[in-house]
């Protein structure tokens, strides 16, 4: 009956209702502002460490690995407590305050250990915020609108990555990293102001249909990690490949990434609006197949037009996996929204960490072009894991 009711409401009407709701609109703005702060400081940090601080790539890698691990550990610990009654609003507020001071610390620090500790504090503070925004949204939104609104929240993050990095590099060249860090600190303060009027939803009784040991969750985490291991390897090594192997100008990688991000957003919104009409894992399996096609095209093609055309498959691959993946986690863990959202984001982070470390080893051993073979294999692994999950029943 729910599906039949939704058929009478167009996607445009669903979007209109969401944007007219004051609290949901404020949540979207909050997600966008938090995304902008992260998308502005994170891409420039490695450049600052290398150019301004003279830190060697290996030691830069240690900083980012430590940052990622701190975010995973802290967000996972907080997720358990948030579903047991810890205020989601309080977590976001405290995370924003710590982020405010930490990002300023990054901008003024000149010692390696201080930079590492400050970066770990920033990642540890920022990492729980987005999962708690997802969880708060899921607590407040009706069941029939949940997937679409989660996809909109995820699309806001993608949108921040269209605007944030180019703008950040412009500011970096004009006012330096310290100036950029103070601007990001200002964004965190604005985010704190925007939280006025929010309240925690009443805590739901833990009636989750699955335990964390449920085999569907394990396969879903594996699939999501494989997807974003491939995505991270592609993002890191595609620019080097295009410039050193294909002799394209430096602007081309940025154009490809921006084009892909622009494709991801409508894909996230469309699949979010239509998610109630498909079996739970079917869109994700389709997305994994799109990833196989995409990385195969990148490996075999040296033509710029085909590389741009291939981004259509990449937009579907990442757009569906990132946009709809959060809803699938939440569907498997009803009553555990904080943990579900955190498992989703931590799976992405673990995949990114594995991709960063594994991609470097592969590029050194078999060459940069061989990294795209590994990306293709990761997409195949994701498809197989999702196929396995779709055949299993809950415990």
């Amino acid at each position: 009956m729910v599906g039949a009711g939704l058929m009478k409401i167009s996607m445009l009407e669903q979007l209109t209702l969401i944007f007219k709701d004051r609290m949901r609109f404020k949540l979207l703005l909050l997600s966008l502002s938090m995304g902008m702060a992260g998308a502005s400081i994170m891409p420039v940090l490695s450049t600052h460490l290398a150019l301004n601080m003279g830190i060697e790539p290996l030691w830069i890698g240690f900083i980012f690995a430590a940052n990622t691990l701190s975010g995973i550990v802290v967000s996972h610990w907080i997720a358990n407590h948030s579903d047991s009654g810890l205020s989601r609003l309080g977590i976001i507020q405290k995370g924003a305050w710590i982020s405010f001071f930490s990002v300023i610390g990054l901008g003024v620090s000149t010692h390696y250990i201080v930079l590492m500790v400050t970066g770990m504090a920033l990642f540890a503070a920022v990492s729980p915020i987005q999962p708690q925004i997802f969880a708060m949204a899921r607590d407040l939104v009706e069941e029939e609108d949940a997937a679409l609104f989660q996809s909109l929240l995820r699309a806001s993050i993608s949108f921040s990555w269209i605007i944030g990095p180019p703008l950040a590099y412009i500011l970096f060249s004009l006012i330096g990293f310290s100036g950029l860090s103070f601007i990001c600190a200002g964004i965190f303060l604005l985010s704190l102001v925007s939280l006025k009027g929010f309240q925690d939803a009443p805590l739901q009784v833990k009636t989750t249909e699955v335990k964390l040991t449920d085999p569907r969750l394990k396969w879903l985490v594996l699939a999501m990690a494989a997807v974003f291991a491939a995505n991270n390897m592609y993002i890191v090594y595609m620019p080097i490949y295009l410039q050193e192997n294909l002799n394209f100008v430096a602007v081309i990688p940025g154009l490809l990434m921006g084009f892909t991000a622009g494709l991801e957003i409508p894909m996230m919104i469309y699949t979010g609006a239509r998610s109630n009409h498909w079996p739970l894992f079917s869109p994700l399996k389709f997305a994994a197949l799109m990833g196989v096609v995409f990385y195969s095209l990148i490996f075999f093609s040296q033509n710029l037009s085909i590389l741009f055309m291939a981004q259509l498959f990449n937009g579907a691959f990442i757009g569906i996996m990132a946009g709809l993946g959060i809803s699938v986690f939440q569907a498997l863990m009803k009553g555990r929204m904080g943990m579900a959202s955190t498992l989703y984001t931590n799976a992405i982070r673990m995949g990114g960490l594995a991709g960063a470390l594994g991609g470097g080893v592969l590029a050194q051993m078999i060459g940069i072009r061989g990294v795209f073979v590994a990306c293709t294999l990761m997409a195949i692994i994701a498809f197989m894991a999702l196929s396995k999950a779709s055949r299993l029943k809950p415990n």
Side-chain angles (χ1 to χ4, degrees), residues 206-237:
K206 287 187 180 181
T207 56
T208 180
E209 296 175 357
V210 293
K211 298 180 181 179
L212 294 184
T213 54
D214 187 285
R216 295 184 300 171
L217 277 173
K218 293 178 181 178
W219 290 109
L220 181 58
V221 168
L222 173 61
M224 196 65 66
V227 165
F228 284 91
N231 186 57
N232 198 58
M233 285 191 283
Y234 168 75
I235 289 173
V236 171
Y237 293 101

Side-chain angles (χ1 to χ4, degrees), residues 144-368:
E144 58 268 23
D145 293 330
L148 175 57
F149 190 57
Q150 295 289 340
S151 295
L152 283 172
L153 286 172
R154 188 58 183 80
S156 71
I157 301 173
S158 293
F159 186 71
S160 70
W161 278 87
I162 295 176
I163 302 172
L167 182 59
Y169 272 103
I170 292 172
L171 292 171
F172 178 64
S173 64
L174 293 175
I175 60 177
F177 187 76
S178 294
L180 175 63
S181 70
F182 279 98
I183 290 176
C184 290
I187 296 175
F188 284 119
L189 274 184
L190 289 174
S191 299
L192 280 163
V193 173
S194 72
L195 286 170
K196 185 178 180 181
F198 279 106
Q199 290 183 340
D200 286 307
L203 183 66
Q204 299 179 19
V205 178
K206 287 187 180 181
T207 56
T208 180
E209 296 175 357
V210 293
K211 298 180 181 179
L212 294 184
T213 54
D214 187 285
R216 295 184 300 171
L217 277 173
K218 293 178 181 178
W219 290 109
L220 181 58
V221 168
L222 173 61
M224 196 65 66
V227 165
F228 284 91
N231 186 57
N232 198 58
M233 285 191 283
Y234 168 75
I235 289 173
V236 171
Y237 293 101
M238 179 270 289
I240 302 173
Y241 174 69
L242 293 185
Q243 292 177 59
E244 294 188 357
N245 294 58
L246 303 186
N247 298 315
F248 288 141
V249 294
V251 71
I252 295 299
L255 292 175
L256 285 172
M257 290 183 187
F259 182 54
T260 304
L263 292 170
E264 289 173 8
I265 293 173
M267 188 64 65
M268 289 177 183
I269 295 172
Y270 176 76
T271 53
R274 300 287 299 174
S275 63
N276 291 287
H277 303 279
W278 300 315
L280 189 62
F281 291 99
S282 292
L284 301 187
K285 290 191 290 184
F286 171 79
L289 290 176
M290 294 298 97
V292 175
V293 174
F294 169 66
Y295 293 121
S296 298
L297 286 172
I298 296 298
F299 178 80
F300 287 110
S301 177
Q302 299 182 2
N303 181 280
L304 185 59
S305 298
I306 295 178
L307 291 175
F308 267 97
M309 182 273 291
Q311 302 309 312
L312 294 170
F313 297 97
N314 195 21
F317 176 47
I318 300 300
I320 296 173
M321 292 297 300
L324 214 53
I326 177 67
S327 298
V328 176
F329 273 99
Q330 291 176 345
L332 294 181
M333 301 182 66
K334 292 179 180 179
R336 298 292 304 279
M337 294 300 105
M339 180 57 75
S341 302
T342 301
L343 272 180
Y344 162 78
T345 52
N346 279 352
I348 291 175
R349 293 187 186 113
M350 288 187 290
L353 180 61
L357 297 175
V361 174
L362 290 170
Q364 187 71 30
M365 293 178 60
I366 61 177
I368 291 177

Side-chain angles (χ1 to χ4, degrees), residues 350-385:
M350 288 187 290
L353 180 61
L357 297 175
V361 174
L362 290 170
Q364 187 71 30
M365 293 178 60
I366 61 177
I368 291 177
R369 193 160 177 250
V371 171
F372 303 127
V373 176
C375 292
T376 307
L377 292 175
M378 289 293 102
I380 293 172
I381 288 172
F383 176 78
M384 294 173 64

Side-chain angles (χ1 to χ4, degrees), residues 122-142:
L122 177 60
F123 273 72
V126 167
S127 294
I129 292 177
Q130 201 66 50
Q132 293 305 319
I133 292 175
F134 283 131
M136 182 181 287
R138 188 62 184 83
D139 290 338
L140 296 174
V141 175
E142 297 295 332

